[in-house]
Amino acid sequence: KKENYYMSLENHTIFFYILIGLMTIGVLQSLFIGFLFFFKGSGERRANAFYGLLLITIGLTLLHNIFMLTDFYDAYPQFNFLPIYYTLAFPTLLFYYVKLTLYPTYKFRLSDIKHF
């Protein structure tokens, strides 16, 4: 199966490779900037952490799309269902980023676990 994976990459036009290249740049940017938000000195530290996690999950989801387009999951099916958990985190991470940005003194409570 792995041989078929490499052979399937040979049957595309230059536009496919440009798209994959641009998507790869997007993945690298979102992962890099996401990690930078953990070390950002200005703003609410907890809000920055949630925004950094949001960018990282967006990058991992975009990586999933690259794997789908390149038939990576056909060669390695054990990784197929991993990215679904990334997309489920989007609303919660965005919610807490906005909430902590608007209300920096907000304290987490036990009832907040319902969002996760």
Side-chain angles (χ1 to χ4, degrees):
K1 274 195 162 187
K2 292 178 186 173
E3 297 85 26
N4 293 340
Y5 169 69
Y6 295 112
M7 289 177 59
S8 70
L9 291 178
E10 297 172 359
N11 300 327
H12 297 287
T13 64
I14 188 69
F15 299 112
F16 175 79
Y17 295 109
I18 291 172
L19 175 68
I20 296 299
L22 290 173
M23 290 173 72
T24 303
I25 290 170
V27 168
L28 295 175
Q29 284 181 336
S30 63
L31 292 177
F32 179 70
I33 294 171
F35 282 116
L36 283 181
F37 263 88
F38 286 105
F39 304 108
K40 184 178 175 189
S42 63
E44 170 63 34
R45 186 175 178 92
R46 296 176 301 159
N48 290 341
F50 276 104
Y51 193 65
L53 282 174
L54 179 65
L55 286 174
I56 290 169
T57 56
I58 288 171
L60 292 175
T61 303
L62 188 56
L63 182 64
H64 163 71
N65 292 333
I66 292 172
F67 287 163
M68 292 280 289
L69 288 173
T70 58
D71 296 328
F72 177 81
Y73 292 130
D74 292 339
Y76 303 98
Q78 64 269 24
F79 298 114
N80 197 16
F81 294 105
L82 198 60
I84 194 166
Y85 301 113
Y86 303 140
T87 57
L88 292 175
F90 287 168
T92 304
L93 293 173
L94 182 61
F95 171 74
Y96 279 115
Y97 167 68
V98 171
K99 187 168 194 161
L100 291 170
T101 301
L102 295 176
Y103 306 106
T105 59
Y106 180 77
K107 303 238 187 292
F108 285 106
R109 299 182 198 118
L110 189 58
S111 62
D112 289 332
I113 202 154
K114 65 186 170 201
H115 298 291
F116 292 98

